[in-house]
Amino acid sequence: MRVLVLGAGGMLGRDLVAAGPPTVTVIPLTHAELDITDRMALASRVAAERPNVILNAAAYTAVDKAEEDRQTAFRANAEAVGDLGRIAARAGLTVIHFSTDYVFDGQSPDPYPEEYAPNPLNTYGASKLAGEEALRTSGSQYLLIRTQWLFGTAGRSFPRTMWERAIAGTASRVVCDQIGRPTFTLDLAHATWRLIALAQRGVIHVANAGTATWYDIARRVYISENEENLLESCTTEAFPTAARRPQQSVLDTTRLEQILGGQLPPWEDGVDRFLAQLRAARGSQASGPTQMLREPPTRP
């Protein structure tokens, strides 16, 4: 099987490539190598690579910025996804695409199953929902994976920011009234490959086990660095942002658990493994001035 991974340089994309099974030929393409909003280039590259499956990890993810940059968000998250689906349909390929809990409004007291009616609160969520609809109507075979609150070692994320602030001894105020399921991109990547191997189609929610607030995540990180005293909780009202966030957008992963025979690891376990990897990388960078000169810090 040949699998084309789009957005391979991003946080999720890198873990998808790293977790690729040895029996699969993984073809990674970063944004610099292929911009999915370039319809002609996308069609040309798919034809040249001749994959069986296209894994789309490319997306516009700047939630607050999207409120002022609606056109760019919809071009990447909706129009390009429709283009990709139609290209795949003509070639008889399957598309694996990722969406978000932000397609829901967070008003339900219960976890959201796959069939629950979406109602996004912000432009980012609306663009991702439009992408879901574009893929559904494209005529291609597809697997749509909704996930949430991602963190991984290859990019910027909330737990990384909290860790950097904790090791710097910087105090933080963190929202404690939004609830979701923090998800480690490495766990998501492994689950995705298992779903591909099982030829799953339709919509499936994938997230680490358990629920948390942003404050819960920050607290675990700060405690790991013995800096819990620097952390303070606050409400969403006290921390306004350009984009509205759902208050309780917990995804129901019952379908996933039935397919895979169990839950993904708890989010706490994911955060602990994530932090261990960050510390290992930091120790490696600090091992000598020569190495640090060869590998200057870069923005992901």
Side-chain angles (χ1 to χ4, degrees):
M1 179 189 296
R2 292 172 60 83
V3 178
L4 185 66
V5 179
L6 306 178
M11 183 170 66
L12 174 57
R14 291 191 189 184
D15 279 341
L16 286 167
V17 173
T23 56
V24 172
T25 299
V26 178
I27 308 160
L29 292 176
T30 66
H31 175 77
E33 294 169 317
L34 178 63
D35 180 352
I36 66 165
T37 65
D38 186 334
R39 184 183 300 110
M40 296 300 292
L42 181 61
S44 177
R45 197 61 182 261
V46 169
E49 299 294 351
R50 302 175 63 185
N52 306 102
V53 174
I54 301 174
L55 246 173
N56 183 33
Y60 181 104
T61 59
V63 176
D64 289 315
K65 187 178 178 182
E67 295 301 308
E68 299 178 354
D69 198 9
R70 182 182 180 89
Q71 183 175 355
T72 303
F74 270 79
R75 181 70 192 100
N77 291 344
E79 295 171 29
V81 177
D83 292 338
L84 179 61
R86 288 183 287 273
I87 291 167
R90 289 193 293 269
L93 312 177
T94 299
V95 176
I96 315 297
H97 179 64
F98 296 90
S99 192
T100 172
D101 60 308
Y102 278 23
V103 300
F104 299 116
D105 60 17
Q107 297 303 304
S108 172
D110 301 314
Y112 286 93
E114 285 83 354
E115 65 275 10
Y116 200 97
N119 183 34
L121 297 179
N122 55 50
T123 299
Y124 167 73
S127 71
K128 293 297 286 184
L129 178 59
E132 292 186 9
E133 295 299 325
L135 183 59
R136 284 194 185 99
T137 59
S138 69
S140 69
Q141 296 186 72
Y142 69 88
L143 171 61
L144 174 62
I145 295 175
R146 290 198 190 114
T147 188
Q148 63 183 134
W149 293 26
L150 298 186
F151 59 93
T153 57
R156 302 302 307 175
S157 65
F158 178 74
R160 177 188 284 270
T161 298
M162 290 298 99
W163 179 70
E164 291 173 349
R165 292 176 69 85
I167 62 175
T170 303
S172 296
R173 295 180 70 221
V174 180
V175 169
C176 65
D177 57 358
Q178 295 176 24
I179 304 173
R181 296 180 68 166
T183 303
F184 190 19
T185 50
L186 188 58
D187 292 339
L188 173 59
H190 284 298
T192 298
W193 284 111
R194 290 179 66 187
L195 293 172
I196 291 172
L198 294 169
Q200 293 296 312
R201 300 290 182 268
V203 183
I204 299 178
H205 290 173
V206 180
N208 279 108
T211 63
T213 66
W214 296 112
Y215 177 77
D216 292 331
I217 303 169
R219 183 170 182 270
R220 191 166 190 89
V221 174
Y222 269 75
I223 287 176
S224 75
E225 297 295 336
N226 298 311
E227 295 288 4
E228 185 184 6
N229 61 307
L230 294 175
L231 192 62
E232 179 184 350
S233 64
C234 69
T235 64
T236 298
E237 185 178 9
F239 194 82
T241 56
R244 289 180 62 197
R245 265 75 167 174
Q247 290 294 114
Q248 185 165 313
S249 56
V250 176
L251 296 178
D252 185 328
T253 57
T254 300
R255 183 183 178 197
L256 174 76
E257 292 156 25
Q258 292 171 342
I259 293 169
L260 300 186
Q263 296 181 319
L264 297 194
W267 69 265
E268 297 95 333
D269 176 73
V271 167
D272 291 347
R273 285 181 284 128
F274 166 75
L275 293 174
Q277 291 180 12
L278 290 185
R279 293 186 186 107
R282 183 173 181 238
S284 176
Q285 291 174 356
S287 63
T290 302
Q291 180 179 11
M292 293 182 70
L293 287 172
R294 287 200 310 266
E295 300 177 4
T298 58
R299 185 174 181 178

